[in-house]
Amino acid sequence: MAKLAKTSSRHSVEPGVELIGDAETLNSYSNVLSGVVKLTKSLSDGRQQIVGLRFAPDFLGQPFKAKSAIHAEAATTVSLCSFPKAAIEQMMKQSPELEHRLLRQTLNELDEAREWMVTLGCKTAPEKVASFLLMIARNIDSGVGPAARSARFDLPLTRAGISDFLGITNETVSRQLTRLRMDGVIRIENSRRVTVDDISRLEQRCGGRWPRRNRPIYET
Amino acid sequence: MAKLAKTSSRHSVEPGVELIGDAETLNSYSNVLSGVVKLTKSLSDGRQQIVGLRFAPDFLGQPFKAKSAIHAEAATTVSLCSFPKAAIEQMMKQSPELEHRLLRQTLNELDEAREWMVTLGCKTAPEKVASFLLMIARNIDSGVGPAARSARFDLPLTRAGISDFLGITNETVSRQLTRLRMDGVIRIENSRRVTVDDISRLEQRCGGRWPRRNRPIYET
DNA sequence: CGCGTAATTGAAGTCGCTCAATTGTTGTGG
DNA sequence: CCACAACAATTGAGCGACTTCAATTACGCG
Protein backbone atom coordinates (compact mmCIF):
# COMPACT_ATOMS: atom_id res chain seq x y z
CA MET A 1 0.00 0.00 0.00
CA ALA A 2 3.00 2.25 0.44
CA LYS A 3 3.42 2.53 -3.26
CA LEU A 4 -0.21 3.39 -3.71
CA ALA A 5 -0.18 6.07 -1.10
CA LYS A 6 1.93 8.23 -3.35
CA THR A 7 -0.76 8.43 -5.98
CA SER A 8 -3.81 8.57 -3.78
CA SER A 9 -5.91 11.67 -3.30
CA ARG A 10 -8.76 12.61 -1.02
CA HIS A 11 -12.02 14.26 -1.88
CA SER A 12 -15.13 15.38 -0.12
CA VAL A 13 -18.28 15.10 -2.17
CA GLU A 14 -21.65 16.71 -1.57
CA PRO A 15 -24.94 14.83 -1.78
CA GLY A 16 -26.32 14.47 -5.27
CA VAL A 17 -22.98 14.53 -7.02
CA GLU A 18 -22.59 11.89 -9.66
CA LEU A 19 -19.61 9.61 -9.20
CA ILE A 20 -20.09 7.21 -12.06
CA GLY A 21 -22.15 8.37 -14.98
CA ASP A 22 -24.42 6.08 -16.86
CA ALA A 23 -22.58 4.12 -19.54
CA GLU A 24 -19.44 5.85 -18.48
CA THR A 25 -16.49 4.28 -16.81
CA LEU A 26 -15.10 5.61 -13.61
CA ASN A 27 -11.72 7.22 -14.04
CA SER A 28 -10.50 5.98 -10.71
CA TYR A 29 -11.01 3.54 -7.88
CA SER A 30 -11.92 4.80 -4.44
CA ASN A 31 -12.40 3.78 -0.89
CA VAL A 32 -15.37 5.23 0.92
CA LEU A 33 -14.02 6.85 4.07
CA SER A 34 -17.31 8.23 5.32
CA GLY A 35 -20.82 8.82 4.11
CA VAL A 36 -22.99 6.72 1.84
CA VAL A 37 -22.88 6.19 -1.90
CA LYS A 38 -25.91 4.86 -3.75
CA LEU A 39 -25.69 2.71 -6.85
CA THR A 40 -28.67 2.93 -9.15
CA LYS A 41 -29.89 1.55 -12.42
CA SER A 42 -32.72 3.04 -14.38
CA LEU A 43 -35.16 2.31 -17.14
CA SER A 44 -35.30 4.74 -20.00
CA ASP A 45 -38.72 5.97 -18.96
CA GLY A 46 -37.39 7.30 -15.67
CA ARG A 47 -38.18 4.49 -13.27
CA GLN A 48 -35.11 3.71 -11.25
CA GLN A 49 -33.90 1.18 -8.75
CA ILE A 50 -31.19 1.48 -6.15
CA VAL A 51 -29.13 -1.68 -6.54
CA GLY A 52 -26.70 -1.11 -3.71
CA LEU A 53 -25.41 1.19 -1.04
CA ARG A 54 -21.74 1.62 -0.22
CA PHE A 55 -20.73 2.49 3.32
CA ALA A 56 -17.31 3.07 4.77
CA PRO A 57 -14.95 1.33 4.32
CA ASP A 58 -16.29 -0.18 1.12
CA PHE A 59 -14.54 -0.15 -2.17
CA LEU A 60 -15.93 1.77 -5.12
CA GLY A 61 -15.23 1.27 -8.79
CA GLN A 62 -15.92 -0.73 -11.89
CA PRO A 63 -13.20 -3.39 -12.00
CA PHE A 64 -13.69 -4.33 -15.62
CA LYS A 65 -16.14 -2.40 -17.67
CA ALA A 66 -19.43 -4.10 -16.92
CA LYS A 67 -21.70 -4.40 -19.87
CA SER A 68 -24.56 -2.88 -17.97
CA ALA A 69 -24.79 0.78 -17.17
CA ILE A 70 -24.64 1.66 -13.53
CA HIS A 71 -24.88 5.00 -11.85
CA ALA A 72 -23.18 6.00 -8.61
CA GLU A 73 -24.07 9.09 -6.65
CA ALA A 74 -23.28 10.51 -3.24
CA ALA A 75 -26.33 9.99 -1.04
CA THR A 76 -24.86 11.96 1.83
CA THR A 77 -21.73 14.01 2.08
CA VAL A 78 -19.05 11.52 1.17
CA SER A 79 -15.31 11.53 1.62
CA LEU A 80 -13.32 9.37 -0.72
CA CYS A 81 -9.78 8.16 -1.07
CA SER A 82 -9.17 7.71 -4.77
CA PHE A 83 -6.50 6.02 -6.85
CA PRO A 84 -5.87 6.37 -10.56
CA LYS A 85 -7.43 3.53 -12.45
CA ALA A 86 -4.25 2.69 -14.28
CA ALA A 87 -2.29 2.33 -11.07
CA ILE A 88 -4.73 -0.17 -9.63
CA GLU A 89 -4.92 -2.20 -12.78
CA GLN A 90 -1.20 -2.29 -12.98
CA MET A 91 -0.96 -3.52 -9.42
CA MET A 92 -3.58 -6.17 -9.99
CA LYS A 93 -1.49 -7.76 -12.68
CA GLN A 94 1.50 -7.94 -10.41
CA SER A 95 -0.01 -8.98 -7.13
CA PRO A 96 -2.69 -11.65 -6.89
CA GLU A 97 -3.40 -10.42 -3.39
CA LEU A 98 -5.24 -7.36 -4.62
CA GLU A 99 -7.36 -9.34 -7.01
CA HIS A 100 -8.15 -11.74 -4.22
CA ARG A 101 -9.47 -8.95 -2.05
CA LEU A 102 -11.48 -7.65 -4.97
CA LEU A 103 -13.02 -11.09 -5.42
CA ARG A 104 -13.97 -11.16 -1.78
CA GLN A 105 -15.67 -7.83 -1.97
CA THR A 106 -17.49 -8.78 -5.16
CA LEU A 107 -18.77 -11.97 -3.59
CA ASN A 108 -20.01 -9.91 -0.69
CA GLU A 109 -21.81 -7.52 -2.98
CA LEU A 110 -23.38 -10.44 -4.80
CA ASP A 111 -24.56 -11.78 -1.51
CA GLU A 112 -26.10 -8.48 -0.54
CA ALA A 113 -27.75 -8.09 -3.92
CA ARG A 114 -29.39 -11.49 -3.58
CA GLU A 115 -30.51 -10.72 -0.08
CA TRP A 116 -32.31 -7.67 -1.37
CA MET A 117 -33.80 -9.60 -4.24
CA VAL A 118 -35.61 -11.61 -1.59
CA THR A 119 -36.83 -8.42 0.02
CA LEU A 120 -37.94 -6.95 -3.29
CA GLY A 121 -39.65 -10.07 -4.52
CA CYS A 122 -41.16 -11.57 -1.40
CA LYS A 123 -41.80 -9.02 1.28
CA THR A 124 -44.74 -6.72 1.91
CA ALA A 125 -44.38 -2.96 2.15
CA PRO A 126 -44.29 -2.92 5.98
CA GLU A 127 -41.65 -5.65 5.96
CA LYS A 128 -39.61 -3.86 3.36
CA VAL A 129 -39.45 -0.66 5.36
CA ALA A 130 -38.56 -2.50 8.54
CA SER A 131 -35.86 -4.45 6.70
CA PHE A 132 -34.43 -1.23 5.32
CA LEU A 133 -34.25 0.39 8.72
CA LEU A 134 -32.57 -2.68 10.14
CA MET A 135 -30.02 -2.77 7.36
CA ILE A 136 -29.19 0.90 7.84
CA ALA A 137 -28.96 0.50 11.59
CA ARG A 138 -26.47 -2.31 11.18
CA ASN A 139 -24.33 -0.35 8.74
CA ILE A 140 -24.45 3.17 10.05
CA ASP A 141 -24.86 3.29 13.77
CA SER A 142 -21.32 3.72 15.04
CA GLY A 143 -20.51 0.20 14.01
CA VAL A 144 -22.37 -1.26 16.94
CA GLY A 145 -22.36 -4.97 16.30
CA PRO A 146 -25.34 -7.17 15.50
CA ALA A 147 -25.77 -7.80 19.19
CA ALA A 148 -26.76 -4.22 19.94
CA ARG A 149 -30.13 -3.75 21.64
CA SER A 150 -30.80 -0.27 20.37
CA ALA A 151 -29.64 2.05 17.63
CA ARG A 152 -29.77 5.65 16.54
CA PHE A 153 -28.80 6.94 13.14
CA ASP A 154 -29.50 9.32 10.29
CA LEU A 155 -31.23 7.90 7.26
CA PRO A 156 -28.88 8.34 4.31
CA LEU A 157 -31.79 8.61 1.90
CA THR A 158 -34.90 10.73 1.50
CA ARG A 159 -38.30 9.03 1.46
CA ALA A 160 -38.16 9.03 -2.30
CA GLY A 161 -34.71 7.44 -2.12
CA ILE A 162 -35.95 4.73 0.18
CA SER A 163 -38.83 4.11 -2.17
CA ASP A 164 -36.38 3.65 -5.04
CA PHE A 165 -34.57 1.13 -2.93
CA LEU A 166 -37.63 -0.87 -1.91
CA GLY A 167 -39.70 -0.74 -5.04
CA ILE A 168 -42.61 1.08 -3.43
CA THR A 169 -43.78 4.69 -3.50
CA ASN A 170 -42.53 7.39 -1.16
CA GLU A 171 -46.06 7.79 0.19
CA THR A 172 -46.08 4.16 1.21
CA VAL A 173 -42.67 4.54 2.82
CA SER A 174 -43.93 7.50 4.78
CA ARG A 175 -47.06 5.69 5.90
CA GLN A 176 -45.13 2.66 7.08
CA LEU A 177 -42.68 4.84 8.98
CA THR A 178 -45.47 6.61 10.81
CA ARG A 179 -47.04 3.26 11.56
CA LEU A 180 -43.78 2.07 13.08
CA ARG A 181 -43.64 5.30 15.05
CA MET A 182 -47.24 4.93 16.22
CA ASP A 183 -46.52 1.40 17.35
CA GLY A 184 -43.55 2.58 19.35
CA VAL A 185 -41.02 0.59 17.37
CA ILE A 186 -39.11 3.68 16.30
CA ARG A 187 -38.91 7.34 17.20
CA ILE A 188 -38.43 10.04 14.58
CA GLU A 189 -37.01 13.50 15.00
CA ASN A 190 -35.94 15.64 12.11
CA SER A 191 -37.55 13.08 9.76
CA ARG A 192 -34.02 11.93 9.09
CA ARG A 193 -32.86 10.93 12.52
CA VAL A 194 -34.32 7.67 13.75
CA THR A 195 -34.05 5.92 17.09
CA VAL A 196 -34.74 2.24 17.59
CA ASP A 197 -35.03 1.42 21.24
CA ASP A 198 -35.56 -2.30 20.87
CA ILE A 199 -33.99 -3.73 17.77
CA SER A 200 -35.60 -7.11 18.25
CA ARG A 201 -39.02 -5.53 17.84
CA LEU A 202 -37.86 -4.16 14.52
CA GLU A 203 -36.53 -7.54 13.49
CA GLN A 204 -39.92 -9.07 14.11
CA ARG A 205 -41.36 -6.77 11.49
CA CYS A 206 -38.91 -7.79 8.80
CA GLY A 207 -40.87 -10.87 7.85
CA GLY A 208 -39.83 -14.42 7.35
CA ARG A 209 -39.45 -15.43 10.90
CA TRP A 210 -43.04 -16.46 11.33
CA PRO A 211 -45.84 -17.31 8.97
CA ARG A 212 -47.17 -14.19 7.34
CA ARG A 213 -50.77 -14.92 8.24
CA ASN A 214 -52.19 -15.89 11.57
CA ARG A 215 -52.85 -19.41 10.54
CA PRO A 216 -50.68 -22.51 10.43
CA ILE A 217 -48.77 -23.22 7.24
CA TYR A 218 -49.57 -26.87 7.23
CA GLU A 219 -53.29 -27.47 7.27
CA THR A 220 -55.21 -30.71 7.14
CA MET B 1 -6.92 -28.01 -17.40
CA ALA B 2 -5.08 -31.22 -18.15
CA LYS B 3 -4.30 -31.69 -14.53
CA LEU B 4 -7.89 -31.09 -13.56
CA ALA B 5 -9.23 -33.54 -16.06
CA LYS B 6 -7.83 -36.38 -14.00
CA THR B 7 -10.02 -35.59 -11.06
CA SER B 8 -13.17 -34.48 -12.84
CA SER B 9 -16.35 -36.51 -12.94
CA ARG B 10 -19.63 -36.21 -14.80
CA HIS B 11 -23.13 -36.48 -13.49
CA SER B 12 -26.62 -36.25 -14.81
CA VAL B 13 -29.13 -34.81 -12.40
CA GLU B 14 -32.91 -34.96 -12.53
CA PRO B 15 -35.14 -31.94 -11.96
CA GLY B 16 -35.83 -31.16 -8.34
CA VAL B 17 -32.59 -32.56 -7.01
CA GLU B 18 -30.87 -30.34 -4.51
CA LEU B 19 -27.33 -29.40 -5.42
CA ILE B 20 -26.44 -27.08 -2.58
CA GLY B 21 -28.42 -27.40 0.60
CA ASP B 22 -29.34 -24.42 2.69
CA ALA B 23 -26.56 -23.41 5.02
CA GLU B 24 -24.48 -26.22 3.64
CA THR B 25 -21.41 -25.88 1.58
CA LEU B 26 -21.07 -27.59 -1.73
CA ASN B 27 -18.53 -30.37 -1.67
CA SER B 28 -17.37 -29.63 -5.17
CA TYR B 29 -17.27 -27.12 -7.99
CA SER B 30 -19.04 -27.85 -11.24
CA ASN B 31 -19.52 -26.64 -14.74
CA VAL B 32 -23.02 -26.80 -16.10
CA LEU B 33 -22.81 -28.74 -19.38
CA SER B 34 -26.52 -28.70 -20.16
CA GLY B 35 -29.81 -27.91 -18.49
CA VAL B 36 -30.68 -25.17 -16.04
CA VAL B 37 -29.91 -24.81 -12.34
CA LYS B 38 -31.93 -22.45 -10.19
CA LEU B 39 -30.50 -20.63 -7.19
CA THR B 40 -33.03 -19.74 -4.53
CA LYS B 41 -33.21 -18.04 -1.17
CA SER B 42 -36.14 -18.36 1.14
CA LEU B 43 -37.74 -16.80 4.16
CA SER B 44 -38.48 -19.06 7.07
CA ASP B 45 -42.21 -18.83 6.47
CA GLY B 46 -41.92 -20.49 3.09
CA ARG B 47 -41.82 -17.54 0.74
CA GLN B 48 -38.96 -17.97 -1.66
CA GLN B 49 -37.16 -16.05 -4.34
CA ILE B 50 -35.12 -17.34 -7.25
CA VAL B 51 -31.96 -15.24 -7.20
CA GLY B 52 -30.32 -16.64 -10.29
CA LEU B 53 -30.36 -19.22 -13.04
CA ARG B 54 -27.29 -21.04 -14.29
CA PHE B 55 -27.15 -22.14 -17.90
CA ALA B 56 -24.42 -23.98 -19.75
CA PRO B 57 -21.54 -23.31 -19.65
CA ASP B 58 -21.79 -21.47 -16.35
CA PHE B 59 -19.79 -22.25 -13.30
CA LEU B 60 -21.43 -23.53 -10.15
CA GLY B 61 -20.11 -23.44 -6.63
CA GLN B 62 -19.58 -21.40 -3.51
CA PRO B 63 -16.03 -20.04 -3.81
CA PHE B 64 -15.68 -19.06 -0.18
CA LYS B 65 -18.40 -19.92 2.20
CA ALA B 66 -20.84 -17.07 1.83
CA LYS B 67 -22.44 -15.96 5.04
CA SER B 68 -25.88 -16.19 3.55
CA ALA B 69 -27.66 -19.45 2.90
CA ILE B 70 -28.32 -20.24 -0.70
CA HIS B 71 -30.05 -23.16 -2.27
CA ALA B 72 -29.26 -24.68 -5.66
CA GLU B 73 -31.52 -27.12 -7.41
CA ALA B 74 -31.77 -28.66 -10.84
CA ALA B 75 -34.64 -26.93 -12.66
CA THR B 76 -34.42 -29.26 -15.63
CA THR B 77 -32.38 -32.37 -16.20
CA VAL B 78 -28.85 -31.14 -15.72
CA SER B 79 -25.51 -32.59 -16.63
CA LEU B 80 -22.54 -31.44 -14.62
CA CYS B 81 -18.81 -31.72 -14.76
CA SER B 82 -17.59 -31.63 -11.17
CA PHE B 83 -14.23 -31.16 -9.53
CA PRO B 84 -13.32 -31.80 -5.90
CA LYS B 85 -13.38 -28.62 -3.91
CA ALA B 86 -9.92 -29.15 -2.50
CA ALA B 87 -8.41 -29.50 -5.95
CA ILE B 88 -9.85 -26.22 -7.14
CA GLU B 89 -8.86 -24.34 -4.06
CA GLN B 90 -5.38 -25.70 -4.32
CA MET B 91 -5.14 -24.58 -7.91
CA MET B 92 -6.42 -21.13 -7.10
CA LYS B 93 -3.57 -20.55 -4.74
CA GLN B 94 -1.06 -21.49 -7.35
CA SER B 95 -2.43 -19.85 -10.45
CA PRO B 96 -3.91 -16.37 -10.43
CA GLU B 97 -5.46 -17.16 -13.79
CA LEU B 98 -8.18 -19.28 -12.25
CA GLU B 99 -9.03 -16.70 -9.67
CA HIS B 100 -9.17 -14.12 -12.38
CA ARG B 101 -11.73 -16.13 -14.30
CA LEU B 102 -13.70 -16.59 -11.12
CA LEU B 103 -13.70 -12.85 -10.55
CA ARG B 104 -15.00 -12.32 -14.07
CA GLN B 105 -17.84 -14.73 -13.56
CA THR B 106 -18.72 -13.24 -10.20
CA LEU B 107 -18.85 -9.75 -11.67
CA ASN B 108 -21.14 -11.09 -14.35
CA GLU B 109 -23.43 -12.64 -11.77
CA LEU B 110 -23.50 -9.39 -9.85
CA ASP B 111 -24.46 -7.60 -13.02
CA GLU B 112 -27.28 -10.03 -13.70
CA ALA B 113 -28.51 -9.83 -10.14
CA ARG B 114 -28.71 -6.06 -10.35
CA GLU B 115 -30.45 -6.23 -13.67
CA TRP B 116 -33.13 -8.38 -12.09
CA MET B 117 -33.38 -6.08 -9.10
CA VAL B 118 -34.57 -3.45 -11.55
CA THR B 119 -37.13 -5.86 -12.93
CA LEU B 120 -38.31 -6.86 -9.47
CA GLY B 121 -38.48 -3.35 -8.13
CA CYS B 122 -39.67 -1.30 -11.08
CA LYS B 123 -41.57 -3.34 -13.60
CA THR B 124 -45.23 -4.27 -13.80
CA ALA B 125 -46.41 -7.86 -14.01
CA PRO B 126 -46.82 -7.84 -17.80
CA GLU B 127 -43.35 -6.37 -18.19
CA LYS B 128 -41.86 -8.89 -15.79
CA VAL B 129 -43.22 -11.85 -17.72
CA ALA B 130 -42.06 -10.43 -21.03
CA SER B 131 -38.62 -9.76 -19.57
CA PHE B 132 -38.41 -13.29 -18.29
CA LEU B 133 -39.29 -14.79 -21.64
CA LEU B 134 -36.73 -12.60 -23.35
CA MET B 135 -34.03 -13.57 -20.89
CA ILE B 136 -34.77 -17.26 -21.37
CA ALA B 137 -34.87 -16.90 -25.13
CA ARG B 138 -31.45 -15.31 -25.12
CA ASN B 139 -29.95 -18.01 -22.90
CA ILE B 140 -31.61 -21.18 -24.07
CA ASP B 141 -32.48 -21.06 -27.73
CA SER B 142 -29.54 -22.79 -29.38
CA GLY B 143 -27.32 -19.88 -28.56
CA VAL B 144 -28.81 -17.75 -31.29
CA GLY B 145 -27.28 -14.35 -30.76
CA PRO B 146 -29.03 -11.15 -29.69
CA ALA B 147 -29.61 -10.38 -33.34
CA ALA B 148 -32.03 -13.26 -33.83
CA ARG B 149 -35.47 -12.32 -35.11
CA SER B 150 -37.32 -15.30 -33.66
CA ALA B 151 -36.82 -17.95 -30.98
CA ARG B 152 -38.23 -21.24 -29.80
CA PHE B 153 -37.44 -22.88 -26.48
CA ASP B 154 -38.68 -24.85 -23.51
CA LEU B 155 -39.35 -22.92 -20.35
CA PRO B 156 -36.99 -24.30 -17.68
CA LEU B 157 -39.45 -23.46 -14.93
CA THR B 158 -43.07 -24.17 -14.09
CA ARG B 159 -45.51 -21.30 -13.72
CA ALA B 160 -44.91 -21.42 -9.99
CA GLY B 161 -41.17 -21.33 -10.63
CA ILE B 162 -41.52 -18.29 -12.84
CA SER B 163 -43.61 -16.64 -10.18
CA ASP B 164 -40.84 -17.26 -7.64
CA PHE B 165 -38.47 -15.59 -10.03
CA LEU B 166 -40.60 -12.53 -10.73
CA GLY B 167 -42.16 -11.90 -7.35
CA ILE B 168 -45.72 -12.38 -8.56
CA THR B 169 -48.23 -15.23 -8.24
CA ASN B 170 -48.41 -18.15 -10.63
CA GLU B 171 -51.94 -17.12 -11.54
CA THR B 172 -50.66 -13.74 -12.66
CA VAL B 173 -47.90 -15.40 -14.66
CA SER B 174 -50.46 -17.58 -16.35
CA ARG B 175 -52.72 -14.66 -17.14
CA GLN B 176 -49.92 -12.62 -18.63
CA LEU B 177 -48.77 -15.55 -20.75
CA THR B 178 -52.23 -16.04 -22.18
CA ARG B 179 -52.45 -12.34 -22.86
CA LEU B 180 -49.17 -12.49 -24.77
CA ARG B 181 -50.56 -15.47 -26.65
CA MET B 182 -53.83 -13.70 -27.37
CA ASP B 183 -51.94 -10.71 -28.69
CA GLY B 184 -49.93 -12.93 -30.99
CA VAL B 185 -46.60 -12.13 -29.39
CA ILE B 186 -45.94 -15.76 -28.46
CA ARG B 187 -47.31 -19.17 -29.28
CA ILE B 188 -47.62 -21.89 -26.67
CA GLU B 189 -47.73 -25.61 -27.17
CA ASN B 190 -47.27 -28.04 -24.37
CA SER B 191 -47.42 -25.13 -21.90
CA ARG B 192 -43.67 -25.48 -21.70
CA ARG B 193 -42.64 -24.95 -25.27
CA VAL B 194 -42.84 -21.36 -26.41
CA THR B 195 -42.31 -19.78 -29.80
CA VAL B 196 -41.55 -16.11 -30.32
CA ASP B 197 -41.94 -15.17 -33.94
CA ASP B 198 -40.92 -11.56 -33.61
CA ILE B 199 -38.54 -10.93 -30.76
CA SER B 200 -38.74 -7.16 -31.14
CA ARG B 201 -42.44 -7.27 -30.29
CA LEU B 202 -41.51 -9.07 -27.09
CA GLU B 203 -38.84 -6.50 -26.33
CA GLN B 204 -41.39 -3.75 -26.59
CA ARG B 205 -43.30 -5.35 -23.74
CA CYS B 206 -40.33 -5.43 -21.39
CA GLY B 207 -40.79 -1.86 -20.29
CA GLY B 208 -38.37 0.98 -19.97
CA ARG B 209 -37.90 1.75 -23.58
CA TRP B 210 -40.78 4.19 -23.71
CA PRO B 211 -42.75 6.08 -21.13
CA ARG B 212 -45.05 3.72 -19.31
CA ARG B 213 -48.09 5.93 -19.86
CA ASN B 214 -49.30 7.53 -23.04
CA ARG B 215 -48.40 10.98 -21.98
CA PRO B 216 -45.15 12.95 -22.06
CA ILE B 217 -42.86 12.67 -19.08
CA TYR B 218 -42.12 16.35 -18.97
CA GLU B 219 -45.24 18.38 -18.52
CA THR B 220 -45.65 22.09 -18.10
C1' DC C 1 -57.70 -45.56 -17.91
C1' DG C 2 -57.41 -42.87 -13.88
C1' DC C 3 -54.66 -40.58 -10.61
C1' DG C 4 -51.79 -36.48 -9.27
C1' DT C 5 -49.83 -32.40 -10.48
C1' DA C 6 -49.71 -28.26 -13.29
C1' DA C 7 -52.17 -24.76 -15.66
C1' DT C 8 -56.04 -21.98 -16.70
C1' DT C 9 -59.85 -19.15 -15.63
C1' DG C 10 -63.25 -16.64 -12.78
C1' DA C 11 -64.89 -13.67 -8.94
C1' DA C 12 -64.06 -11.08 -5.00
C1' DG C 13 -60.96 -8.72 -1.93
C1' DT C 14 -56.97 -5.96 -0.62
C1' DC C 15 -52.68 -3.82 -0.66
C1' DG C 16 -50.22 -0.44 -2.53
C1' DC C 17 -50.57 3.29 -6.09
C1' DT C 18 -52.17 7.66 -7.89
C1' DC C 19 -53.71 12.10 -7.36
C1' DA C 20 -54.14 15.97 -4.53
C1' DA C 21 -53.95 18.94 -0.56
C1' DT C 22 -51.50 20.20 3.58
C1' DT C 23 -47.80 20.60 6.64
C1' DG C 24 -43.01 20.69 7.80
C1' DT C 25 -38.13 21.80 6.89
C1' DT C 26 -34.20 24.21 5.10
C1' DG C 27 -31.80 27.80 3.22
C1' DT C 28 -31.75 32.68 1.37
C1' DG C 29 -32.34 37.45 1.28
C1' DG C 30 -34.56 41.50 3.00
C1' DC D 1 -35.16 37.91 12.94
C1' DC D 2 -38.66 37.13 9.91
C1' DA D 3 -40.62 36.30 5.27
C1' DC D 4 -40.40 33.77 1.57
C1' DA D 5 -39.43 30.17 -1.70
C1' DA D 6 -38.25 25.51 -2.76
C1' DC D 7 -38.36 21.14 -1.52
C1' DA D 8 -39.44 17.07 1.50
C1' DA D 9 -42.75 14.71 4.13
C1' DT D 10 -47.24 13.66 5.69
C1' DT D 11 -51.97 12.56 5.19
C1' DG D 12 -56.40 11.59 2.90
C1' DA D 13 -59.58 9.65 -0.66
C1' DG D 14 -60.40 6.80 -4.49
C1' DC D 15 -58.85 3.55 -7.70
C1' DG D 16 -56.64 -0.25 -9.95
C1' DA D 17 -53.36 -4.06 -10.33
C1' DC D 18 -52.34 -7.97 -8.35
C1' DT D 19 -53.61 -11.39 -4.97
C1' DT D 20 -56.46 -14.75 -2.90
C1' DC D 21 -59.62 -18.28 -3.00
C1' DA D 22 -61.96 -21.61 -5.59
C1' DA D 23 -63.42 -24.31 -9.47
C1' DT D 24 -62.31 -26.36 -13.79
C1' DT D 25 -59.46 -28.12 -17.41
C1' DA D 26 -55.24 -29.99 -19.39
C1' DC D 27 -51.36 -32.82 -19.06
C1' DG D 28 -47.96 -36.54 -17.85
C1' DC D 29 -47.28 -41.03 -16.13
C1' DG D 30 -48.07 -45.34 -13.56
Side-chain angles (χ1 to χ4, degrees), chain A residues 2 18 68 124 137 185 188 197 202 211:
Chain A
E18 180 174 307
S68 84
T124 66
V185 179
I188 303 179
D197 288 316
L202 187 58

Side-chain angles (χ1 to χ4, degrees), chain A residues 39 41-52 54 62-70 92 96-97 99-104 106-118 120-124 127 165-168 206-212 217, chain B residues 39 41-52 54 62-70 92 96-97 99-104 106-118 120-124 127 165-168 206-212 217:
Chain A
L39 308 178
K41 289 177 71 72
S42 25
L43 267 27
S44 54
D45 61 7
R47 287 178 279 179
Q48 75 170 3
Q49 176 67 38
I50 295 182
V51 296
R54 292 280 89 92
Q62 300 276 62
F64 312 100
K65 51 193 167 300
K67 50 176 157 300
S68 84
I70 205 166
M92 277 216 312
E97 173 58 25
E99 191 158 282
H100 185 77
R101 277 175 47 91
L102 187 53
L103 177 57
R104 288 276 192 182
T106 306
L107 285 167
N108 255 345
E109 289 185 48
L110 184 56
D111 226 41
E112 284 172 30
R114 286 173 171 166
E115 200 69 55
W116 279 106
M117 287 179 75
V118 178
L120 282 173
C122 295
K123 295 189 179 180
T124 66
E127 291 167 345
F165 197 98
L166 299 176
I168 54 184
C206 290
R209 215 150 288 281
W210 290 296
R212 181 147 51 127
I217 304 176
Chain B
L39 308 178
K41 289 178 70 74
S42 26
L43 267 28
S44 55
D45 61 8
R47 285 177 281 176
Q48 74 170 4
Q49 176 67 37
I50 295 182
V51 295
R54 293 279 90 87
Q62 299 277 62
F64 311 101
K65 51 191 165 303
K67 50 175 158 298
S68 84
I70 204 167
M92 278 214 314
E97 173 58 25
E99 191 158 281
H100 185 77
R101 278 174 47 90
L102 187 54
L103 177 56
R104 289 276 193 182
T106 305
L107 285 167
N108 255 344
E109 290 185 48
L110 183 57
D111 225 41
E112 286 172 28
R114 286 173 171 167
E115 199 68 55
W116 279 105
M117 287 178 75
V118 178
L120 282 173
C122 295
K123 295 190 180 179
T124 66
E127 291 166 345
F165 197 99
L166 299 176
I168 55 183
C206 289
R209 215 150 288 282
W210 290 296
R212 182 143 53 124
I217 304 178

Side-chain angles (χ1 to χ4, degrees), chain B residues 51-63:
Chain B
V51 295
L53 293 177
R54 293 279 90 87
F55 305 90
D58 284 340
F59 181 77
L60 195 65
Q62 299 277 62

Side-chain angles (χ1 to χ4, degrees), chain A residues 116 118-134 162-163 165-180 202 205-207 212, chain B residues 43 47:
Chain A
W116 279 106
V118 178
T119 300
L120 282 173
C122 295
K123 295 189 179 180
T124 66
E127 291 167 345
K128 284 180 177 179
V129 173
S131 302
F132 176 78
L133 289 178
L134 192 58
I162 298 173
S163 75
F165 197 98
L166 299 176
I168 54 184
T169 62
N170 52 4
E171 291 95 332
T172 299
V173 171
S174 185
R175 274 184 253 269
Q176 297 309 326
L177 284 176
T178 59
R179 175 190 287 221
L180 286 171
L202 187 58
R205 304 224 173 192
C206 290
R212 181 147 51 127
Chain B
L43 267 28
R47 285 177 281 176

